[in-house]
Every structure is written in C-alpha cells, then in structure tokens.
Amino acid sequence: MSKETETASTMSTKFDPQAVEQGMYQKWLDEGVFKPSGDQKAKPYSIVLPPPNVTGKLHLGHAWNTTLQDMLIRQKRMEGYDTLWLPGMDHAGIATQAKVEAMLQEQGISRYDLGREKFIQQVWDWKDKFAATIHEQWAKLGLSLDYDRETFTLDDGVSKAVRKVFVDLYNQGLIYRAKYIINWDPQARTALSDIEVEHKDDKGAFYHVKYQFTGDTTFAGKDYIEIATTRPETMFGDVAVAVNPSDERYKDLVGKTVIVPLVNREIPIIADHYVDPEFGTGMVKITPAHDPNDFKVGKRHDLAEINTMNEDATLNENAGKYNGMDRFDAREAIAKDLEKSGAMLKVDPIVHSVGHSERTGVQVEARLSTQWFVKMKPLAEAALKNQQTDDAVNFVPERFEKTFSRWMEDVHDWVISRQLWWGHRIPAWYNKHTGEMYVGETAPKDIENWDQDPDVLDTWFSSGLWPFTTMGWPDTDSHDFKRYFPTSTMVTGYDLVFFWISRMIFQSLHFTGRRPFKDVLLHGLIRDEQGRKMSKSLGNGIDPMDVIDQYGADALRWSLSTGTTPGQDERFSYDKMDGSWKFVNKIWNASRYVIMNLGEMEKPELPAASDWNLADRWILARLNKTVAHVRENYDKYNFGEANRTLYDFIWNDFCDWYIEMSKETLTGTDERAKHNTRNVLAYVLDQFLRLLHPVMPFVTEKIWLSMPHEGQSLVTAAYPEVHPEFTNETAQSDMDHLIEIIKAVRNIRAEAGAPLGNPVDILIKTNNDELKQVLENNREYIDRFGHPQKLEIGADVVAPKLAMTAVVTDAEVSIPLAELIDLNEEVQRLTKEVEKFQSEVDRAKHKLANEKFVANAPKAVVDEERAKQADNEQKLAAAKQRLADVQAAL
C-alpha cells in the first residue's frame, strides 16, 4: 500500500489542471516508469515516434498524433507488454535551412557570407534551441517516452547507417548519378523530388508566337508556324519544333527549319510520337533543358540541351540581353519585345496548374541538372510483392493500402541529392587531378587529393531508415534491434503515405528483410471549426500549449482523441474543449466524493457476490461491458468510440446513478451495507481510472495516488480485464427498468412543475410479477429519486382520471396531480406519446417486412428489432388507453 500526502480532504473542490499537472511529469521521469520493463517473458511492443522537424514548435497536429501514440503505449504498458516508445527529431534539411537563412537574411547576411562551416554551426544552434522547446512540449503533453534512447537524424549512429545504405545501394547499381531534368526550387536553390512539389492554380497566359520558316517554305499560305507557350522566357533554350509522325497536316514540314524569335537561331522541325495532334495546333517547341518530356524527346533525337536559367531563376548568358533578369520580369519584357517585332500573334489569359515548392512556396522550375538518383523499380516491386505475404504492413484504414500500391506501381526514380549544406553529406569524392569518382563509407586516405560532393541527401532518405536505425542497425545483434524490431505500430498522417511510409517500407525490406512495422495507423489533418486547414495565411493556427494552459493536458488529449476516426480529418473547437474540461471536472468531483467516503480503507476489495445489491450487480456488469468495449476498440484503433463508451459509463452510469444510489446506503445505519458500498465505489473508481489513464494521464494519476491503492504509479498498474463473474444481464435489465421508471417520475414532475421537494403520490401499474418484485425490493431508490408521499406498485393499481401518466416497458407510471394539470394539455401530451409509439411500431414493421434485412442481418439484430416492436406495441396500447381515459374525463 502506498499513499500520497494529498487526500480527498485537501483535494480542491474544483479541478485545477495546473495544480494537478505540477511536478507530475518529472516524478514519472525520476521513477523511470516510461522505460521498457526488461521482462523477457513479456511480449514486446514498440513505437518509434515520427520525428518532428526542428524547424519550430509543435503544432496541434503533433499534439493529436502523439496523444494517439501515447494512448497505445500506456495501455500496452499497463497490459503487461515490454513497451518501448522511442523519441527523436528530424534535421529536416531544406525546411530547417530555409528557416535559418530567413533569420540571417533579416540581419543582412547570406549563408555564402558565412561559409559552409559557420553556417552549419548556426543551424546547430537553431536545432538546440527548438529541440529544447519540443522537449518542454512533450513534457507538457505527458508523453511517456524513453528519453535514454532519443535519436536525432544527424547523430553519429544514424549517419553511419545512412552512409552504409548509400554505398550498398550504389554498389548494387540502385543509386546512380546522371544529368537529368529535375524539379528545382529557385529560392532554396536545390533539387526536389516529385512529391515535394504541390500543384496550385496560378494565373498565366498562352503566348502565341510566330516561328518564321527559313528559305521560301510556307504552310497554309503563311511563311511561319504558330507555337503556343506559357513560358516564353525558356524559348532561348528551344532546339526543335515537333509534330506527330502520323499527323498528315505536317508530314511535308518534317526536316524543314524555323527561326527562334529574338535570338534568330535556326532549329529543325522533327517528328515524335510524344506530340498530341489533338492538342492546340499539334505543334510544340522542344526545350530539353527546361521540360522533362522535351528532355526525353531531345535524347531520342540527339538534340542540344541549352539551359537558360541560373540557380536563382534569373536568366543566364544564353538569354542574350535578358541575362540577369528575374524569370517573371523577363517573361514580361520578352512578351513586349515579341509584340514590337511583330512575332506575337495573340495572348490568351489562362488559369493553370503550376508546381510550387512544398517548403518555400515558390514556383518550381524544371531544370537540367546533374543529380543522384535511386532506381525505384526493383525496390517498389519488392514492396508490392511483400504486401501479398504474412509480413505485409497492415494499413488502418485498409483503403490506404491501395493509395500506397498505386504510387509504388507508378513510381519514378527518386532524386536524392539536395543542393543544401545542412544534412547528410553524400559519401562521394572526386579526384582533383584525374576526375575519378570514389564512393565509400569512409573518406579516401589521401583526402588532400579529393573533393567531397558538396550536396546532401534528401531528408526522407535518412528518415526512411528511422524504424531500424533507431534500433541500432546496422548492428543486427544489438539488443533493441533483436527485441523491438520490426516495430508494432506507426501512427502518422495520411498525407505521408508517399513521403515517408512508402520509403520506410521499401528501405526496411531491402536492408532488414522485414516490414518496418506491423500496423500503420493513418489519421487526417486538424482543421478549424469551419473545416479549413490551419495555416499562417488564414491566421487560424492554434498553439496546443496555449490550450493546455487554459484547459489542461488531459482535456486537450480527451478532445483530440474523442474526435478521431482512423483516416479522417478532425475539427478543433473551443466548444469541444469546454465540454472536455467539464468532463474532467466531473471525474474530479465524483472521485473526491468517493474518496471522502472511504474512511480508513487500506485498499479496495470487492465484497462477496452474495452481498451485492442490485445497484452493485448492475454497476459491475456495466463496468465489465465498458472494459470489453474499450479494449476491443483500442485493438481496432477506434479511440473515439472507446472514449464515448467511457464517457457514457462514467458520466451516466457511475456519476448520475450509482453514486446517487450509494448515498442512500452511506447515509443509512447498516454498517455492513456501508462497508460493501464503499468497497464497490472504490473498486469501480480504481478500474475506470485505469481505463482512463492512457488518455488522461495526469488527473487519473493524481486521483489514484490520493485514494487507497497498491503500487508505485498508475503508469505501471495493471489494465482492467473482463471478469465473467460480473456479467449479469438480469441485473442490467432490472436496473434499466428501475431507471426508466425514475426518469418517468422526474419527467412528469418537470412537466407539471412539481419540484422534488413536494411529495406526490406515485402509482406504478404492472402485470409483470418479476418487475413488481424488483420495484418492491428497491423501493428506497424510488423514494430517494421520486420523493413519493405514497408509493403503490401492483397489477390492480388504478390511476385517477386527473393524473399524468407515462408509459414505460411493462408498466405505467401515474402521478395524481389534479390541482396542477390542465386536462386539455394532458390530452395533447398523450396524443404526442401515441404518435411517437405509433411511429416506432410502423418503422419496425417496415424494417421486418424487408425480406433482405431479415435474411441477411445477424439473427441477434433481427431478434432485437422484433423485441423493440413488441415493446412499442405494448406502450402504444397503454398510451391509447390512457388517452381515452383522460378524454372521457373532459
């Protein structure tokens, strides 16, 4: 037995999250309760935290994502698994470098002013600052992470693994270096992969330009052809005009030449199947250095590749007098000059989809560049094949496996080099004298004769290795790798299926021969109350730490996890937060009441089943169902459904009914009954605190340590299990009848304006002998909740004409209120009752008349529908009779 110094007598009367959370996280860290148990007999369960970027603070999406992971790891820990939740952070190459460069720009400095070494030190300083902030946020959220194993994607161990992966792939012919058209971010001055490009609608134009024939060639009576382009600034890189070889209109033009306007360079007309004869004029200009399709055409026809742009998207010397101009300024100037020269035929304004950098937001350029690539086809095929085996990754929801498969089936080679300074340097060196290239895990011994490749690797290259490099790989004998890999569950957003999930899968399969994780749980995006994506431009972003300051971490975690459905977006609202705080406050006050009534109890011990009264049997049966439902829904990752079950049990069953019923016993004189009720109260409180702990760690720990308990912490306490001996359908049915009758009495009192302080006669007519016995045995509850002056129960009970009556299952509840009610109003009320029951009967008849429903629905569902129909038919008949009686009295 262990007790905290705080008890119910010192618990505040109102839930104060700051007071509850104060010092709790440090206490857990000091006690080491987040570490793996080390029990080799226990089944391992592991999660690696999707590493947040060290670009800034965590946002609400991180709070949601980490809450779901923490719920899983806390529950599994309590279930007796040997759990590991491994934290870490990502260097996030392009994103972090962009942030630091922006900071330096405000000081009037560029990275080139500092040089590579000093600039990288600036980035490390940035990383240290925001890593400290993220640690504070993790603590505030209550995340049960094992910090002893924390990893950063630029740590020495990870860097060693990254070099090995690169070199092995290179030696296997799966990494190559080539000159190719890639996506280029002119602000970050780096290559991007296809999935780092977001397509957005931008205003633009089709510029229709004359390309004059050389010599005396004409077409359709004209000495030029018409070429339409959206990017006239690239025309200085034109090396041909192409038509489709099957296009009869242009077959005589193939082999002729035209002049590129403004630079007066002669280029040929060629035939290539790439051209769509149905689109536009069926003629396209070929610019191999600025378009990926044109690049392929150029290779087929051995055409020159003329790059007209610098790294920052200013035009270069190949653009003649426009050299040095920004691409958009040059476009405008070129259009004017084409007009002046008479080469511009027309300009058609359009709105078209244009690629933008996911990180900097600027328009991406297709640019010819020498880069490093991963050959994806064999890796993708292996990943797809593995999904047909027992070692497949289970996608939750399942539909995202199709998203994964479609992308892997149509994947292109992955450009992995980035023209950045912050990141994993590519392990390739070039001999200063011979130009020879060396690729290796270590630098050449005569390093003075070599220059290392200046580029770094795409961030996703290293984070794609995350599940196994964090476990000690390439040391496959390391304890963590052997014990915890493959990991159990990966929790991340559905938007990362392409970026990250796919890469972890094919990298893991290639290097470990196993899937990286058993399950991948995909959630959506956090949106505002109106369903909009949170963004700086809309000003609708919410700092989760501000929410915690106002409501507490438990309320935030409850709100985020209750609103979750796998694969779906979630809306955040302060109305939901208000409701969450009220629920935590309800738990606090109910717990305080229970603890105040436990006396000198050492630990909760259920009395013998023979000593349980109806309320005891009912609450334990409801607890049992709640435990089963919560466990089942956790296993299915249906956290929202699990939370709703908990809410109903705690708020309705425990607080509204069992606690209120316990007061009848606790204020009585039967000491044995008091003892029994205290122990049931304490037991049920203990059990639902354990059920709640994964989602509300702070408040549940505080309450649990303030009540009689055994153990050091709720973090490592046993999770509730289903007890077959608690199952009691009779008790549930009997209590449901009792509650229905009590609610009927309350409703009649409310409608008649008769407060509980005014005793009234309560007449309960029932022909069901079992129900009569239940009501007789539990008269004290009807007395407490209904406050009757006289209580009659039986088959021969006759209600006076002037009474208000409610029809319930197997009974009629009447209260004579002649002096308080208006018979006309009672007729109206009973008429509505008749309509309600008639509607239910008609609905059930219609449903049961549907042969498909009866044939295909589970038998239990059909039987339940028939039972509902019978019950409502009985209620309908009773309501009609009562209506007739009142109408006769008018």
Side-chain angles (χ1 to χ4, degrees), residues 200-366:
K200 302 176 185 176
D201 284 345
D202 278 349
K203 289 180 179 178
F206 263 127
Y207 299 87
H208 296 261
V209 183
K210 289 181 184 178
Y211 278 55
Q212 207 87 28
F213 286 113
T214 58
D216 56 1
T217 303
T218 61
F219 176 73
K222 298 174 182 174
D223 62 354
Y224 64 85
I225 56 173
E226 180 182 330
I227 297 292
T229 179
T230 58
R231 302 162 69 210
E233 66 276 13
T234 64
M235 62 193 293
F236 308 111
D238 292 354
V239 293
V241 169
V243 298
N244 192 293
S246 63
D247 194 332
E248 290 293 322
R249 294 173 296 174
Y250 303 131
K251 63 180 181 180
D252 294 336
L253 291 181
V254 176
K256 306 293 186 183
T257 58
V258 292
I259 300 294
V260 179
L262 303 182
V263 287
N264 298 321
R265 184 160 35 81
E266 190 174 337
I267 60 174
I269 297 175
I270 63 172
D272 194 280
H273 286 285
Y274 155 66
V275 183
D276 179 0
E278 302 298 322
F279 183 76
T281 61
M283 286 185 152
V284 295
K285 68 189 191 71
I286 302 300
T287 318
H290 292 281
D291 183 277
N293 292 309
D294 291 7
F295 177 79
K296 291 174 185 175
V297 174
K299 287 295 183 190
R300 286 196 289 272
H301 295 267
D302 197 24
L303 299 172
E305 296 159 350
I306 304 172
N307 190 345
T308 66
M309 273 189 207
N310 298 308
E311 289 183 355
D312 61 354
T314 56
L315 272 63
N316 64 20
E317 65 279 1
N318 289 324
K321 73 172 190 176
Y322 309 100
N323 184 8
M325 290 182 72
D326 172 77
R327 55 181 165 166
F328 299 122
D329 293 339
R331 181 181 299 176
E332 198 174 317
I334 291 165
K336 285 180 180 175
D337 287 347
L338 288 169
E339 290 274 5
K340 285 180 189 173
S341 67
M344 183 76 80
L345 290 166
K346 61 177 177 175
V347 179
D348 293 329
I350 59 168
V351 174
H352 59 154
S353 181
V354 178
H356 292 71
S357 169
E358 182 220 5
R359 290 299 180 189
T360 63
V362 300
Q363 274 193 23
V364 168
E365 284 292 335

